[in-house]
Amino acid sequence: MKIAIIGAGFGGMAAAYDLRKAGHEVTVFESAEYVGGLASGFKEPHWDWSVEKFYHHWFQTDRHMLGLIDELGWRAKVIFPRPLTVMYHEGRFYPFDSIFKALLFPGLGFGLNKIRFGLIGLFLRLTNDWRSLEKVTADEWMMKWAGRQVYEQMWKPLLVGKFGPFYREVNMAWMWARIKARTTRLGTFEGGFQQFADMFAERLREMGVEIRLRVRVEAIGEEQVRLSVRSGGKSEAFDQVLVTTSPNLLARMCPSLPENYLKGLLELKSMGAVVMVLSLKHQLSREGYYWFNLPKEAGYPFLALVEHTNFVSAEHFGGDHIVYAGDYLEAGHEYFSLSDEALLERFLPALKKINPAFERDWVKKVWVNKTNYAQPVPLVNHSQNIPTIQTPIRGLYFASMSQVYPWDRGTNFAVEIGRRAARMMMEQDLQK
Ligand SMILES: Cc1cc2nc3c(=O)[nH]c(=O)nc-3n(C[C@H](O)[C@H](O)[C@H](O)COP(=O)(O)OP(=O)(O)OC[C@H]3O[C@@H](n4cnc5c(N)ncnc54)[C@H](O)[C@@H]3O)c2cc1C
């Protein structure tokens, strides 16, 4: 078959790998000038490693991603340090990266709350029944089972931070998936995620996949038994097409999809993200903390502060210290339109709160990355609203972050859904 894949993120590249291995002719269309999609990175001339535009790491449970890396023969390039995660409580930060440390966290009070917190964590780790959990909101479930104090201290800040105005509508299966699939050791690829994406793209090219960068697909249409893909005003025919963009972009590219399917795509909610990357002359967290969870009530102008070089060594970045300050926001939030300088002005006082010795002249350079598709919002009974991978148009497939539910989005699940879509495409071909 002659197959087009729209998007050279990890989903699109994983699908291209399996389809090409099975002997199909594969062309990947990518609008950006680089591969890697949301997990892509950038590099300064004096850095050996790249830095992801949006902070990224893997968990030890990311078996689809690690399995793919095994197949590619690059497992020795994956490292799994154990960086320090901290939680804010009344002006101070407390380590929060093991059950033991979580139990010592003062925000939980004493006695019963700690037991409730521990039991809930254990229950969510052990159960696989996410279908019951998706029937109720995380807000209701946590209030009932964790109690007000544990919920408000531990879980509500996470929901508010990730989902803003939708936090009360998010279902409990989302929380389950987060707790189920996370580990305290966090992984990355030697050289950064972009290094991995570039090596993967190179392997695909060696296998015969054509990757067209800087080519935006404008439209997908039906052409008797084939599908047409239009880019740069020219159309090309394919037997099958896999789209890996956001649901909104698919709806825009293919308005001839049946009304019900289109409506389903357009009704899905998601949050955007604005993430500032700073290179600093000095280490920001004197304690060497990697990930700071910051509740909105504490008055920080962002949700997460992540000191990347407390995860991987600053030596890889010519001695620069790399810090992310980011937030999940609704499209239309003012952060999307503020200039980089104006955003930096908003963020600087918070850096001084993290380290009182911080001065503005520590900042060497700033980059601001924005996306309006960063985090799908799963509402109650969300499994009923997931668009099918096989669309109602014969030969047209869709695999995105919005469909990896009940799992939360991540490169691991992009690989899983990309490969699942590839299998479905090949099965349909056999049934012809
Ligand atoms: C702030 C943030 C933090 C994250 N942290 C982590 C993490 O720690 N660990 C982790 O594993 N994952 C993390 N993720 C999620 C991860 O980045 C995504 O789940 C994954 O990259 C999605 O891959 P994908 O291939 O499905 O989509 P994408 O990476 O979005 O790929 C889609 C591609 O399609 C291209 N495209 C769009 N429109 C067109 C068009 N018309 N024509 C041609 N090409 C087009 C885009 O340029 C893009 O390259 C994070 C995401 C964000 C936003």
Side-chain angles (χ1 to χ4, degrees):
M1 282 189 295
K2 189 175 168 205
I3 295 172
I5 296 178
I6 320 302
F10 281 101
M13 289 203 286
Y17 180 67
D18 286 350
L19 290 163
R20 181 64 201 143
K21 247 187 0 192
H24 300 289
E25 193 185 319
V26 182
T27 307
V28 181
F29 293 80
E30 170 55 59
S31 55
E33 53 192 30
Y34 45 81
V35 297
L38 277 174
S40 59
F42 63 97
K43 213 175 188 176
E44 282 284 84
H46 64 288
W47 296 353
D48 300 328
W49 286 32
S50 63
V51 162
E52 290 73 53
K53 292 194 289 179
F54 302 97
Y55 36 77
H56 272 74
H57 49 237
W58 290 314
F59 299 107
Q60 285 175 301
T61 43
D62 280 349
R63 64 188 175 89
H64 303 288
M65 178 55 94
L66 296 172
L68 172 68
I69 294 173
D70 275 341
E71 279 176 55
L72 294 164
W74 301 329
R75 188 57 175 261
K77 291 189 172 293
V78 177
I79 53 167
F80 263 100
R82 190 194 279 272
L84 296 170
T85 296
V86 290
M87 282 282 262
Y88 175 92
H89 179 63
E90 293 181 352
R92 291 188 57 192
F93 292 99
Y94 296 88
F96 206 83
D97 43 22
S98 68
I99 293 281
F100 180 67
K101 288 196 187 134
L103 290 174
L104 290 176
F105 178 63
L108 278 177
F110 296 99
L112 188 61
N113 280 337
K114 293 209 161 149
I115 297 170
R116 275 177 121 170
F117 176 75
L119 285 178
I120 279 172
L122 192 66
F123 168 73
L124 293 172
R125 279 242 168 211
L126 293 178
T127 186
N128 287 321
D129 186 16
W130 62 269
R131 286 190 183 276
S132 303
L133 296 171
E134 76 155 4
K135 295 193 177 102
V136 54
T137 65
D139 184 71
E140 279 171 76
W141 194 96
M142 281 293 185
M143 279 294 264
K144 179 169 176 191
W145 295 105
R148 181 177 294 278
Q149 191 182 358
V150 175
Y151 172 52
E152 290 191 344
Q153 275 293 325
M154 312 302 299
W155 306 113
K156 192 171 154 192
L158 174 70
L159 286 168
V160 173
K162 275 245 154 156
F163 299 106
F166 305 117
Y167 89 91
R168 292 196 124 178
E169 296 168 56
V170 171
N171 78 42
M172 186 58 204
W174 178 81
M175 194 67 99
W176 164 83
R178 241 187 113 82
I179 291 171
K180 187 94 180 162
R182 298 203 160 208
T183 57
T184 50
R185 273 192 194 278
L186 302 177
T188 191
F189 200 81
E190 270 178 29
F193 274 52
Q194 187 63 53
Q195 171 73 10
F196 171 46
D198 289 340
M199 284 170 64
F200 193 14
E202 203 37 51
R203 175 70 63 85
L204 292 174
R205 289 189 187 102
E206 283 161 17
M207 290 165 64
V209 173
E210 188 188 347
I211 303 179
R212 297 187 196 165
L213 299 177
R214 288 178 291 271
V215 180
R216 177 178 300 281
V217 171
E218 291 137 16
I220 300 167
E222 288 173 273
E223 233 185 38
Q224 291 160 4
V225 291
R226 299 186 99 192
L227 294 168
S228 68
V229 171
R230 200 182 73 212
S231 59
K234 276 193 276 174
S235 283
E236 211 173 321
F238 291 90
D239 299 306
Q240 291 190 346
V241 177
L242 171 63
V243 176
T244 68
T245 67
S246 69
N248 264 313
L249 285 178
L250 170 62
R252 226 183 292 160
M253 275 187 279
C254 195
S256 63
L257 276 161
E259 204 182 313
N260 253 354
Y261 194 87
L262 275 182
K263 190 163 167 273
L265 293 176
L266 295 172
E267 276 175 3
L268 291 169
K269 286 195 169 77
S270 57
M271 297 293 285
V274 174
V275 173
M276 177 179 286
V277 186
L278 302 106
S279 67
L280 304 180
K281 289 182 196 159
H282 308 287
Q283 185 179 37
L284 184 66
S285 162
R286 288 187 287 204
E287 299 82 2
Y289 296 149
Y290 165 58
W291 191 284
F292 291 77
N293 288 303
L294 303 166
K296 287 264 150 100
E297 304 95 85
Y300 283 86
F302 38 74
L303 166 75
L305 184 104
V306 182
E307 189 157 359
H308 188 59
T309 36
N310 288 337
F311 172 41
V312 295
S313 168
E315 279 171 23
H316 303 308
F317 307 98
D320 292 354
H321 296 265
I322 309 296
V323 170
Y324 294 98
D327 212 340
Y328 294 91
L329 302 162
E330 261 187 296
H333 187 280
E334 61 161 336
Y335 281 8
F336 282 97
S337 48
L338 282 183
S339 67
D340 295 2
E341 295 70 34
L343 198 62
L344 181 64
E345 287 309 316
R346 301 276 184 102
F347 285 8
L348 283 174
L351 302 183
K352 204 160 173 77
K353 277 210 271 187
I354 300 284
N355 181 349
F358 171 81
E359 292 296 340
R360 195 197 175 97
D361 70 2
W362 286 21
V363 179
K364 292 182 73 177
K365 205 162 170 181
V366 167
W367 301 260
V368 179
N369 301 302
K370 301 173 182 174
T371 173
N372 51 23
Y373 183 52
Q375 173 70 53
V377 183
L379 307 178
V380 167
N381 293 325
H382 191 60
S383 58
Q384 290 160 26
N385 304 328
I386 304 292
T388 52
I389 294 178
Q390 184 165 11
T391 76
I393 293 184
R394 193 176 169 80
L396 178 62
Y397 292 78
F398 178 47
S400 70
M401 293 199 292
S402 296
Q403 294 153 285
V404 301
Y405 181 81
W407 303 109
D408 194 17
R409 55 98 175 106
T411 51
N412 177 58
F413 297 107
V415 166
E416 188 280 326
I417 200 167
R419 302 189 93 171
R420 182 148 45 106
R423 270 197 309 279
M424 290 170 74
M425 293 164 85
M426 293 189 273
E427 276 160 20
Q428 193 205 38
D429 183 47
L430 290 177
Q431 285 163 18
K432 275 204 295 209

